[in-house]
Amino acid sequence: QIKLVGLTLLAVLGAYIWFRYVRQTQAFGMFEGADRDALSKAVLGYCATVFGVLVGSGYRCLKQLRETGVTVIDNPKAFVSQLLRSVDLWLGLFGSPIVYLLLLQSSPGMSLPALVTVAIENGFCCLIIVNGFLGQMDQQGARPQPSNHQ
């Protein structure tokens, strides 16, 4: 019953996105197309980033299982439960606003399909991006201060 309601809501959301954005796009290319609704574009882009974080964390969990010799997931519910409790996922979720804001800052005028695609990719690699960004900040903070003594 709940699954049916969830699937119906996803189908309605998908149809809305299709008829609202994708079908009306006449341009082709990453930076072509008019911004009709910047707020919806920003929200959809962030949701795509979170989706990318979820997919990336799931991929890394599966990769860890494979490295331990697991070849079949016997209990998918237990796997999903493990994924939702993984530190990797939560680090990605907490880092996703930084990654998404960096994406928005570096890509003004990007079309919605391009933004969603890049947002999913950035979400998938969210931990790498955040660690690189924070690592640069740590390096800047760790620089020795010049002394005033001559």
Side-chain angles (χ1 to χ4, degrees):
Q1 188 89 14
I2 293 176
K3 288 181 185 180
L4 181 61
V5 171
L7 290 174
T8 303
L9 289 174
L10 283 176
V12 169
L13 178 64
Y16 171 76
I17 291 169
W18 173 261
F19 286 107
R20 172 86 175 156
Y21 296 104
V22 178
R23 207 173 129 229
Q24 295 177 2
T25 302
Q26 300 297 321
F28 179 78
M30 188 174 214
F31 291 98
E32 298 179 18
D35 280 345
R36 287 184 292 276
D37 191 2
L39 180 61
S40 293
K41 183 177 173 182
V43 169
L44 287 172
Y46 185 68
C47 288
T49 302
V50 170
F51 176 74
V53 168
L54 183 65
V55 171
S57 294
Y59 174 81
R60 286 182 289 279
C61 281
L62 288 170
K63 190 174 175 186
Q64 286 176 344
L65 285 174
R66 187 181 66 188
E67 289 171 357
T68 61
V70 174
T71 58
V72 175
I73 298 191
D74 295 325
N75 189 348
K77 287 183 181 181
F79 171 75
V80 171
S81 174
Q82 176 186 358
L83 171 64
L84 293 176
R85 292 182 289 121
S86 75
V87 172
D88 185 76
L89 174 66
W90 286 97
L91 283 171
L93 290 175
F94 279 98
S96 65
I98 294 170
V99 170
Y100 186 62
L101 290 174
L102 289 171
L103 171 62
L104 287 181
Q105 185 67 28
S106 66
S107 59
M110 190 180 284
S111 66
L112 179 65
L115 178 68
V116 168
T117 301
V118 175
I120 291 172
E121 291 172 351
N122 284 354
F124 191 91
C125 301
C126 184
L127 293 178
I128 296 168
I129 295 169
V130 170
N131 289 338
F133 180 71
L134 293 178
Q136 288 176 354
M137 289 180 63
D138 287 344
Q139 289 175 359
Q140 289 175 357
R143 283 190 206 153
Q145 300 298 321
S147 74
N148 292 333
H149 304 295
Q150 296 272 342

